[in-house]
Amino acid sequence: MKKVIFLMSAVVLLAACTTANLLLDSRFLASADYFPVTGRQGWLLNQRLGFGTFVSGKVDRDWDTTDTLAIGGFERVRQAGAYRFSFSDGEDNVAQLDCKNGDDTDHVNLRGVLGGDARWIVDADSFLECSILEWGETLSWKLLMSSKGELLRGYLYSENKALPVYEVLSSVELEGAAWAIGEIAGYLIYRDGVQVAAIQVVNEGGVWVGNTLPLIERRRLASLAAALLLYRPSES
């Protein structure tokens, strides 16, 4: 998926002289705990993520693959990758996560008109799919997200239909910025229309989780946050 960075937004953010944060509702912030994130920057080799008392095991990433299906002047290109890791809360195991992500891009071949390697992108979709198996359980939670353009949206749900469904929405809005930036700044998590968590993926990253939620739900949302923090959109 082609990523467009708006130069004016970048200038505004650089001029602000403060770290830009994900724009969040003040009512949610008043009832949420905040955790700064470590382990997102730098080399991906032996990467480990952490925030609060939560920590991942070493993140195992597959090499990205690219597959192309060509029919006449039409091409569909899929670029895909995967990552998996264990997740714990102090000494307590929390979950095992297995994620797949990538982009599907449709091209019209314009070589006959413009020459060279000219192609026109007519459609582009991104996807993120994760399986989250909580420790001691046999049924997984599923995260399914997709996009048209820059914004990902989807749901986290359990194979146990009695458990809640969480809506996951990406956001491009930063606090104090006059314009939305041209890439995902974070994710907003809702249950039954009420915000329960937020994940910032710009800068070092950050996690907010509702402070009145039961421990099992806080751990579930922390696992979701880890999956989203470790997701790396394609640059192509």
Side-chain angles (χ1 to χ4, degrees), residues 7 20 43 48 52 61 96 105 113 141 148 160 167 183 193 198 204 207 216 221 228 233:
L7 180 59
W43 295 100
R48 295 177 187 270
R61 292 185 183 271
Q96 184 71 35
T105 309
V113 178
W141 287 80
K148 288 281 188 180
N160 180 349
E167 185 178 17
E183 60 181 330
E204 296 293 330
V207 177
I216 188 170
L221 293 170
L228 293 170

mmCIF file with all atom_site columns, all heavy atoms in Angstrom, residues 7 20 43 48 52 61 96 105 113 141 148 160 167 183 193 198 204 207 216 221 228 233:
data_model
loop_
_atom_site.group_PDB
_atom_site.id
_atom_site.type_symbol
_atom_site.label_atom_id
_atom_site.label_alt_id
_atom_site.label_comp_id
_atom_site.label_asym_id
_atom_site.label_entity_id
_atom_site.label_seq_id
_atom_site.pdbx_PDB_ins_code
_atom_site.Cartn_x
_atom_site.Cartn_y
_atom_site.Cartn_z
_atom_site.occupancy
_atom_site.B_iso_or_equiv
_atom_site.pdbx_formal_charge
_atom_site.auth_seq_id
_atom_site.auth_comp_id
_atom_site.auth_asym_id
_atom_site.auth_atom_id
_atom_site.pdbx_PDB_model_num
ATOM 1   N N   . LEU A 1 7   ? 3.452   16.730  3.818   1.00 0.00 ? 7   LEU A N   1
ATOM 2   C CA  . LEU A 1 7   ? 4.587   17.536  4.233   1.00 0.00 ? 7   LEU A CA  1
ATOM 3   C C   . LEU A 1 7   ? 4.173   18.612  5.227   1.00 0.00 ? 7   LEU A C   1
ATOM 4   O O   . LEU A 1 7   ? 4.861   18.869  6.207   1.00 0.00 ? 7   LEU A O   1
ATOM 5   C CB  . LEU A 1 7   ? 5.240   18.178  3.005   1.00 0.00 ? 7   LEU A CB  1
ATOM 6   C CG  . LEU A 1 7   ? 6.457   19.079  3.278   1.00 0.00 ? 7   LEU A CG  1
ATOM 7   C CD1 . LEU A 1 7   ? 7.545   18.281  3.978   1.00 0.00 ? 7   LEU A CD1 1
ATOM 8   C CD2 . LEU A 1 7   ? 6.964   19.671  1.969   1.00 0.00 ? 7   LEU A CD2 1
ATOM 9   N N   . ALA A 1 20  ? 4.290   14.622  19.876  1.00 0.00 ? 20  ALA A N   1
ATOM 10  C CA  . ALA A 1 20  ? 2.884   14.558  19.493  1.00 0.00 ? 20  ALA A CA  1
ATOM 11  C C   . ALA A 1 20  ? 2.277   13.256  19.994  1.00 0.00 ? 20  ALA A C   1
ATOM 12  O O   . ALA A 1 20  ? 2.886   12.197  19.880  1.00 0.00 ? 20  ALA A O   1
ATOM 13  C CB  . ALA A 1 20  ? 2.764   14.647  17.976  1.00 0.00 ? 20  ALA A CB  1
ATOM 14  N N   . TRP A 1 43  ? 16.659  -2.410  15.846  1.00 0.00 ? 43  TRP A N   1
ATOM 15  C CA  . TRP A 1 43  ? 16.730  -3.642  15.075  1.00 0.00 ? 43  TRP A CA  1
ATOM 16  C C   . TRP A 1 43  ? 15.587  -4.576  15.423  1.00 0.00 ? 43  TRP A C   1
ATOM 17  O O   . TRP A 1 43  ? 15.188  -4.692  16.568  1.00 0.00 ? 43  TRP A O   1
ATOM 18  C CB  . TRP A 1 43  ? 18.054  -4.359  15.345  1.00 0.00 ? 43  TRP A CB  1
ATOM 19  C CG  . TRP A 1 43  ? 19.248  -3.593  14.879  1.00 0.00 ? 43  TRP A CG  1
ATOM 20  C CD1 . TRP A 1 43  ? 20.082  -2.822  15.630  1.00 0.00 ? 43  TRP A CD1 1
ATOM 21  C CD2 . TRP A 1 43  ? 19.737  -3.514  13.532  1.00 0.00 ? 43  TRP A CD2 1
ATOM 22  N NE1 . TRP A 1 43  ? 21.052  -2.255  14.851  1.00 0.00 ? 43  TRP A NE1 1
ATOM 23  C CE2 . TRP A 1 43  ? 20.870  -2.667  13.552  1.00 0.00 ? 43  TRP A CE2 1
ATOM 24  C CE3 . TRP A 1 43  ? 19.326  -4.069  12.320  1.00 0.00 ? 43  TRP A CE3 1
ATOM 25  C CZ2 . TRP A 1 43  ? 21.590  -2.362  12.404  1.00 0.00 ? 43  TRP A CZ2 1
ATOM 26  C CZ3 . TRP A 1 43  ? 20.044  -3.765  11.176  1.00 0.00 ? 43  TRP A CZ3 1
ATOM 27  C CH2 . TRP A 1 43  ? 21.159  -2.934  11.223  1.00 0.00 ? 43  TRP A CH2 1
ATOM 28  N N   . ARG A 1 48  ? 11.947  -7.543  21.470  1.00 0.00 ? 48  ARG A N   1
ATOM 29  C CA  . ARG A 1 48  ? 11.049  -7.822  22.593  1.00 0.00 ? 48  ARG A CA  1
ATOM 30  C C   . ARG A 1 48  ? 10.324  -6.528  22.934  1.00 0.00 ? 48  ARG A C   1
ATOM 31  O O   . ARG A 1 48  ? 10.946  -5.476  23.047  1.00 0.00 ? 48  ARG A O   1
ATOM 32  C CB  . ARG A 1 48  ? 11.805  -8.356  23.808  1.00 0.00 ? 48  ARG A CB  1
ATOM 33  C CG  . ARG A 1 48  ? 12.456  -9.712  23.585  1.00 0.00 ? 48  ARG A CG  1
ATOM 34  C CD  . ARG A 1 48  ? 13.249  -10.155 24.814  1.00 0.00 ? 48  ARG A CD  1
ATOM 35  N NE  . ARG A 1 48  ? 14.011  -11.365 24.551  1.00 0.00 ? 48  ARG A NE  1
ATOM 36  C CZ  . ARG A 1 48  ? 13.556  -12.600 24.736  1.00 0.00 ? 48  ARG A CZ  1
ATOM 37  N NH1 . ARG A 1 48  ? 12.327  -12.778 25.207  1.00 0.00 ? 48  ARG A NH1 1
ATOM 38  N NH2 . ARG A 1 48  ? 14.314  -13.649 24.459  1.00 0.00 ? 48  ARG A NH2 1
ATOM 39  N N   . GLY A 1 52  ? 4.308   -1.347  30.961  1.00 0.00 ? 52  GLY A N   1
ATOM 40  C CA  . GLY A 1 52  ? 3.804   -1.706  32.280  1.00 0.00 ? 52  GLY A CA  1
ATOM 41  C C   . GLY A 1 52  ? 4.510   -2.949  32.793  1.00 0.00 ? 52  GLY A C   1
ATOM 42  O O   . GLY A 1 52  ? 5.735   -3.070  32.719  1.00 0.00 ? 52  GLY A O   1
ATOM 43  N N   . ARG A 1 61  ? 9.651   -13.142 13.254  1.00 0.00 ? 61  ARG A N   1
ATOM 44  C CA  . ARG A 1 61  ? 9.069   -12.578 12.030  1.00 0.00 ? 61  ARG A CA  1
ATOM 45  C C   . ARG A 1 61  ? 9.492   -13.389 10.811  1.00 0.00 ? 61  ARG A C   1
ATOM 46  O O   . ARG A 1 61  ? 10.648  -13.789 10.686  1.00 0.00 ? 61  ARG A O   1
ATOM 47  C CB  . ARG A 1 61  ? 9.507   -11.127 11.836  1.00 0.00 ? 61  ARG A CB  1
ATOM 48  C CG  . ARG A 1 61  ? 8.953   -10.155 12.870  1.00 0.00 ? 61  ARG A CG  1
ATOM 49  C CD  . ARG A 1 61  ? 9.327   -8.725  12.527  1.00 0.00 ? 61  ARG A CD  1
ATOM 50  N NE  . ARG A 1 61  ? 8.878   -7.790  13.542  1.00 0.00 ? 61  ARG A NE  1
ATOM 51  C CZ  . ARG A 1 61  ? 7.687   -7.187  13.546  1.00 0.00 ? 61  ARG A CZ  1
ATOM 52  N NH1 . ARG A 1 61  ? 6.854   -7.429  12.541  1.00 0.00 ? 61  ARG A NH1 1
ATOM 53  N NH2 . ARG A 1 61  ? 7.347   -6.353  14.509  1.00 0.00 ? 61  ARG A NH2 1
ATOM 54  N N   . GLN A 1 96  ? -0.531  -16.515 23.655  1.00 0.00 ? 96  GLN A N   1
ATOM 55  C CA  . GLN A 1 96  ? 0.326   -16.787 22.513  1.00 0.00 ? 96  GLN A CA  1
ATOM 56  C C   . GLN A 1 96  ? -0.335  -16.138 21.302  1.00 0.00 ? 96  GLN A C   1
ATOM 57  O O   . GLN A 1 96  ? -1.525  -16.365 21.054  1.00 0.00 ? 96  GLN A O   1
ATOM 58  C CB  . GLN A 1 96  ? 0.482   -18.287 22.289  1.00 0.00 ? 96  GLN A CB  1
ATOM 59  C CG  . GLN A 1 96  ? 1.443   -18.667 21.178  1.00 0.00 ? 96  GLN A CG  1
ATOM 60  C CD  . GLN A 1 96  ? 2.894   -18.388 21.539  1.00 0.00 ? 96  GLN A CD  1
ATOM 61  O OE1 . GLN A 1 96  ? 3.279   -18.525 22.696  1.00 0.00 ? 96  GLN A OE1 1
ATOM 62  N NE2 . GLN A 1 96  ? 3.684   -18.001 20.560  1.00 0.00 ? 96  GLN A NE2 1
ATOM 63  N N   . THR A 1 105 ? -2.722  -5.289  -3.935  1.00 0.00 ? 105 THR A N   1
ATOM 64  C CA  . THR A 1 105 ? -2.737  -4.120  -4.810  1.00 0.00 ? 105 THR A CA  1
ATOM 65  C C   . THR A 1 105 ? -3.079  -4.537  -6.228  1.00 0.00 ? 105 THR A C   1
ATOM 66  O O   . THR A 1 105 ? -2.479  -5.471  -6.769  1.00 0.00 ? 105 THR A O   1
ATOM 67  C CB  . THR A 1 105 ? -1.362  -3.417  -4.813  1.00 0.00 ? 105 THR A CB  1
ATOM 68  O OG1 . THR A 1 105 ? -0.955  -3.180  -3.466  1.00 0.00 ? 105 THR A OG1 1
ATOM 69  C CG2 . THR A 1 105 ? -1.437  -2.094  -5.542  1.00 0.00 ? 105 THR A CG2 1
ATOM 70  N N   . VAL A 1 113 ? 1.584   2.044   -23.217 1.00 0.00 ? 113 VAL A N   1
ATOM 71  C CA  . VAL A 1 113 ? 1.233   3.448   -23.448 1.00 0.00 ? 113 VAL A CA  1
ATOM 72  C C   . VAL A 1 113 ? 2.386   4.370   -23.084 1.00 0.00 ? 113 VAL A C   1
ATOM 73  O O   . VAL A 1 113 ? 2.755   5.274   -23.849 1.00 0.00 ? 113 VAL A O   1
ATOM 74  C CB  . VAL A 1 113 ? -0.022  3.827   -22.637 1.00 0.00 ? 113 VAL A CB  1
ATOM 75  C CG1 . VAL A 1 113 ? -0.363  5.307   -22.831 1.00 0.00 ? 113 VAL A CG1 1
ATOM 76  C CG2 . VAL A 1 113 ? -1.194  2.932   -23.026 1.00 0.00 ? 113 VAL A CG2 1
ATOM 77  N N   . TRP A 1 141 ? -9.071  -15.991 20.507  1.00 0.00 ? 141 TRP A N   1
ATOM 78  C CA  . TRP A 1 141 ? -9.636  -14.725 20.060  1.00 0.00 ? 141 TRP A CA  1
ATOM 79  C C   . TRP A 1 141 ? -9.078  -14.435 18.675  1.00 0.00 ? 141 TRP A C   1
ATOM 80  O O   . TRP A 1 141 ? -7.925  -14.750 18.384  1.00 0.00 ? 141 TRP A O   1
ATOM 81  C CB  . TRP A 1 141 ? -9.257  -13.600 21.019  1.00 0.00 ? 141 TRP A CB  1
ATOM 82  C CG  . TRP A 1 141 ? -9.992  -13.671 22.324  1.00 0.00 ? 141 TRP A CG  1
ATOM 83  C CD1 . TRP A 1 141 ? -9.698  -14.486 23.378  1.00 0.00 ? 141 TRP A CD1 1
ATOM 84  C CD2 . TRP A 1 141 ? -11.142 -12.920 22.698  1.00 0.00 ? 141 TRP A CD2 1
ATOM 85  N NE1 . TRP A 1 141 ? -10.593 -14.287 24.393  1.00 0.00 ? 141 TRP A NE1 1
ATOM 86  C CE2 . TRP A 1 141 ? -11.490 -13.325 24.012  1.00 0.00 ? 141 TRP A CE2 1
ATOM 87  C CE3 . TRP A 1 141 ? -11.903 -11.932 22.068  1.00 0.00 ? 141 TRP A CE3 1
ATOM 88  C CZ2 . TRP A 1 141 ? -12.575 -12.779 24.686  1.00 0.00 ? 141 TRP A CZ2 1
ATOM 89  C CZ3 . TRP A 1 141 ? -12.980 -11.379 22.738  1.00 0.00 ? 141 TRP A CZ3 1
ATOM 90  C CH2 . TRP A 1 141 ? -13.309 -11.805 24.039  1.00 0.00 ? 141 TRP A CH2 1
ATOM 91  N N   . LYS A 1 148 ? -9.354  0.176   3.169   1.00 0.00 ? 148 LYS A N   1
ATOM 92  C CA  . LYS A 1 148 ? -9.343  0.758   1.836   1.00 0.00 ? 148 LYS A CA  1
ATOM 93  C C   . LYS A 1 148 ? -8.598  2.068   1.977   1.00 0.00 ? 148 LYS A C   1
ATOM 94  O O   . LYS A 1 148 ? -9.084  2.997   2.605   1.00 0.00 ? 148 LYS A O   1
ATOM 95  C CB  . LYS A 1 148 ? -10.763 1.006   1.331   1.00 0.00 ? 148 LYS A CB  1
ATOM 96  C CG  . LYS A 1 148 ? -11.546 -0.237  0.970   1.00 0.00 ? 148 LYS A CG  1
ATOM 97  C CD  . LYS A 1 148 ? -11.141 -0.767  -0.384  1.00 0.00 ? 148 LYS A CD  1
ATOM 98  C CE  . LYS A 1 148 ? -12.075 -1.901  -0.830  1.00 0.00 ? 148 LYS A CE  1
ATOM 99  N NZ  . LYS A 1 148 ? -11.682 -2.420  -2.150  1.00 0.00 ? 148 LYS A NZ  1
ATOM 100 N N   . ASN A 1 160 ? -15.884 -18.242 21.337  1.00 0.00 ? 160 ASN A N   1
ATOM 101 C CA  . ASN A 1 160 ? -16.939 -18.409 22.333  1.00 0.00 ? 160 ASN A CA  1
ATOM 102 C C   . ASN A 1 160 ? -17.905 -17.243 22.169  1.00 0.00 ? 160 ASN A C   1
ATOM 103 O O   . ASN A 1 160 ? -17.613 -16.109 22.542  1.00 0.00 ? 160 ASN A O   1
ATOM 104 C CB  . ASN A 1 160 ? -16.345 -18.428 23.738  1.00 0.00 ? 160 ASN A CB  1
ATOM 105 C CG  . ASN A 1 160 ? -17.393 -18.601 24.826  1.00 0.00 ? 160 ASN A CG  1
ATOM 106 O OD1 . ASN A 1 160 ? -18.596 -18.514 24.581  1.00 0.00 ? 160 ASN A OD1 1
ATOM 107 N ND2 . ASN A 1 160 ? -16.943 -18.857 26.041  1.00 0.00 ? 160 ASN A ND2 1
ATOM 108 N N   . GLU A 1 167 ? -14.569 -3.503  18.939  1.00 0.00 ? 167 GLU A N   1
ATOM 109 C CA  . GLU A 1 167 ? -14.355 -2.807  17.667  1.00 0.00 ? 167 GLU A CA  1
ATOM 110 C C   . GLU A 1 167 ? -13.007 -2.100  17.724  1.00 0.00 ? 167 GLU A C   1
ATOM 111 O O   . GLU A 1 167 ? -12.690 -1.431  18.714  1.00 0.00 ? 167 GLU A O   1
ATOM 112 C CB  . GLU A 1 167 ? -15.459 -1.793  17.407  1.00 0.00 ? 167 GLU A CB  1
ATOM 113 C CG  . GLU A 1 167 ? -15.352 -1.138  16.038  1.00 0.00 ? 167 GLU A CG  1
ATOM 114 C CD  . GLU A 1 167 ? -16.487 -0.168  15.751  1.00 0.00 ? 167 GLU A CD  1
ATOM 115 O OE1 . GLU A 1 167 ? -17.172 0.252   16.709  1.00 0.00 ? 167 GLU A OE1 1
ATOM 116 O OE2 . GLU A 1 167 ? -16.677 0.177   14.579  1.00 0.00 ? 167 GLU A OE2 1
ATOM 117 N N   . GLU A 1 183 ? -0.538  8.796   7.957   1.00 0.00 ? 183 GLU A N   1
ATOM 118 C CA  . GLU A 1 183 ? -0.298  7.418   8.344   1.00 0.00 ? 183 GLU A CA  1
ATOM 119 C C   . GLU A 1 183 ? -1.016  7.170   9.666   1.00 0.00 ? 183 GLU A C   1
ATOM 120 O O   . GLU A 1 183 ? -1.449  8.109   10.343  1.00 0.00 ? 183 GLU A O   1
ATOM 121 C CB  . GLU A 1 183 ? 1.195   7.149   8.498   1.00 0.00 ? 183 GLU A CB  1
ATOM 122 C CG  . GLU A 1 183 ? 1.873   8.011   9.543   1.00 0.00 ? 183 GLU A CG  1
ATOM 123 C CD  . GLU A 1 183 ? 3.354   7.721   9.648   1.00 0.00 ? 183 GLU A CD  1
ATOM 124 O OE1 . GLU A 1 183 ? 3.749   6.571   9.393   1.00 0.00 ? 183 GLU A OE1 1
ATOM 125 O OE2 . GLU A 1 183 ? 4.121   8.652   9.981   1.00 0.00 ? 183 GLU A OE2 1
ATOM 126 N N   . GLY A 1 193 ? -19.790 0.198   22.295  1.00 0.00 ? 193 GLY A N   1
ATOM 127 C CA  . GLY A 1 193 ? -19.817 1.629   22.068  1.00 0.00 ? 193 GLY A CA  1
ATOM 128 C C   . GLY A 1 193 ? -19.053 2.464   23.075  1.00 0.00 ? 193 GLY A C   1
ATOM 129 O O   . GLY A 1 193 ? -19.029 3.693   22.960  1.00 0.00 ? 193 GLY A O   1
ATOM 130 N N   . ALA A 1 198 ? -6.712  2.337   24.148  1.00 0.00 ? 198 ALA A N   1
ATOM 131 C CA  . ALA A 1 198 ? -6.144  3.059   23.014  1.00 0.00 ? 198 ALA A CA  1
ATOM 132 C C   . ALA A 1 198 ? -4.678  2.678   22.900  1.00 0.00 ? 198 ALA A C   1
ATOM 133 O O   . ALA A 1 198 ? -4.013  2.429   23.909  1.00 0.00 ? 198 ALA A O   1
ATOM 134 C CB  . ALA A 1 198 ? -6.294  4.564   23.189  1.00 0.00 ? 198 ALA A CB  1
ATOM 135 N N   . GLU A 1 204 ? 7.625   6.449   20.278  1.00 0.00 ? 204 GLU A N   1
ATOM 136 C CA  . GLU A 1 204 ? 7.969   5.182   20.935  1.00 0.00 ? 204 GLU A CA  1
ATOM 137 C C   . GLU A 1 204 ? 6.754   4.285   21.150  1.00 0.00 ? 204 GLU A C   1
ATOM 138 O O   . GLU A 1 204 ? 6.886   3.084   21.362  1.00 0.00 ? 204 GLU A O   1
ATOM 139 C CB  . GLU A 1 204 ? 8.635   5.457   22.298  1.00 0.00 ? 204 GLU A CB  1
ATOM 140 C CG  . GLU A 1 204 ? 9.967   6.173   22.205  1.00 0.00 ? 204 GLU A CG  1
ATOM 141 C CD  . GLU A 1 204 ? 11.033  5.300   21.553  1.00 0.00 ? 204 GLU A CD  1
ATOM 142 O OE1 . GLU A 1 204 ? 10.954  4.076   21.692  1.00 0.00 ? 204 GLU A OE1 1
ATOM 143 O OE2 . GLU A 1 204 ? 11.944  5.857   20.918  1.00 0.00 ? 204 GLU A OE2 1
ATOM 144 N N   . VAL A 1 207 ? 0.242   2.923   25.522  1.00 0.00 ? 207 VAL A N   1
ATOM 145 C CA  . VAL A 1 207 ? -0.970  2.124   25.696  1.00 0.00 ? 207 VAL A CA  1
ATOM 146 C C   . VAL A 1 207 ? -1.796  2.718   26.833  1.00 0.00 ? 207 VAL A C   1
ATOM 147 O O   . VAL A 1 207 ? -1.263  3.022   27.905  1.00 0.00 ? 207 VAL A O   1
ATOM 148 C CB  . VAL A 1 207 ? -0.637  0.651   26.024  1.00 0.00 ? 207 VAL A CB  1
ATOM 149 C CG1 . VAL A 1 207 ? -1.915  -0.158  26.269  1.00 0.00 ? 207 VAL A CG1 1
ATOM 150 C CG2 . VAL A 1 207 ? 0.188   0.025   24.905  1.00 0.00 ? 207 VAL A CG2 1
ATOM 151 N N   . ILE A 1 216 ? -8.680  -9.918  33.811  1.00 0.00 ? 216 ILE A N   1
ATOM 152 C CA  . ILE A 1 216 ? -8.647  -10.770 32.615  1.00 0.00 ? 216 ILE A CA  1
ATOM 153 C C   . ILE A 1 216 ? -8.882  -9.942  31.358  1.00 0.00 ? 216 ILE A C   1
ATOM 154 O O   . ILE A 1 216 ? -8.273  -10.173 30.304  1.00 0.00 ? 216 ILE A O   1
ATOM 155 C CB  . ILE A 1 216 ? -9.669  -11.926 32.721  1.00 0.00 ? 216 ILE A CB  1
ATOM 156 C CG1 . ILE A 1 216 ? -9.463  -12.902 31.561  1.00 0.00 ? 216 ILE A CG1 1
ATOM 157 C CG2 . ILE A 1 216 ? -11.102 -11.392 32.728  1.00 0.00 ? 216 ILE A CG2 1
ATOM 158 C CD1 . ILE A 1 216 ? -10.265 -14.185 31.714  1.00 0.00 ? 216 ILE A CD1 1
ATOM 159 N N   . LEU A 1 221 ? -6.787  -6.948  26.496  1.00 0.00 ? 221 LEU A N   1
ATOM 160 C CA  . LEU A 1 221 ? -6.551  -5.720  25.751  1.00 0.00 ? 221 LEU A CA  1
ATOM 161 C C   . LEU A 1 221 ? -5.059  -5.424  25.616  1.00 0.00 ? 221 LEU A C   1
ATOM 162 O O   . LEU A 1 221 ? -4.616  -4.860  24.613  1.00 0.00 ? 221 LEU A O   1
ATOM 163 C CB  . LEU A 1 221 ? -7.279  -4.564  26.428  1.00 0.00 ? 221 LEU A CB  1
ATOM 164 C CG  . LEU A 1 221 ? -8.812  -4.654  26.383  1.00 0.00 ? 221 LEU A CG  1
ATOM 165 C CD1 . LEU A 1 221 ? -9.436  -3.604  27.289  1.00 0.00 ? 221 LEU A CD1 1
ATOM 166 C CD2 . LEU A 1 221 ? -9.313  -4.509  24.956  1.00 0.00 ? 221 LEU A CD2 1
ATOM 167 N N   . LEU A 1 228 ? -0.895  -4.932  17.814  1.00 0.00 ? 228 LEU A N   1
ATOM 168 C CA  . LEU A 1 228 ? -0.973  -3.724  16.991  1.00 0.00 ? 228 LEU A CA  1
ATOM 169 C C   . LEU A 1 228 ? 0.336   -2.928  17.019  1.00 0.00 ? 228 LEU A C   1
ATOM 170 O O   . LEU A 1 228 ? 0.737   -2.335  16.018  1.00 0.00 ? 228 LEU A O   1
ATOM 171 C CB  . LEU A 1 228 ? -2.133  -2.856  17.459  1.00 0.00 ? 228 LEU A CB  1
ATOM 172 C CG  . LEU A 1 228 ? -3.520  -3.468  17.229  1.00 0.00 ? 228 LEU A CG  1
ATOM 173 C CD1 . LEU A 1 228 ? -4.590  -2.655  17.944  1.00 0.00 ? 228 LEU A CD1 1
ATOM 174 C CD2 . LEU A 1 228 ? -3.835  -3.575  15.738  1.00 0.00 ? 228 LEU A CD2 1
ATOM 175 N N   . PRO A 1 233 ? 3.188   -1.883  8.742   1.00 0.00 ? 233 PRO A N   1
ATOM 176 C CA  . PRO A 1 233 ? 2.596   -1.784  7.401   1.00 0.00 ? 233 PRO A CA  1
ATOM 177 C C   . PRO A 1 233 ? 3.664   -1.825  6.320   1.00 0.00 ? 233 PRO A C   1
ATOM 178 O O   . PRO A 1 233 ? 4.818   -1.420  6.552   1.00 0.00 ? 233 PRO A O   1
ATOM 179 C CB  . PRO A 1 233 ? 1.888   -0.427  7.425   1.00 0.00 ? 233 PRO A CB  1
ATOM 180 C CG  . PRO A 1 233 ? 1.706   -0.103  8.871   1.00 0.00 ? 233 PRO A CG  1
ATOM 181 C CD  . PRO A 1 233 ? 2.873   -0.711  9.568   1.00 0.00 ? 233 PRO A CD  1
#
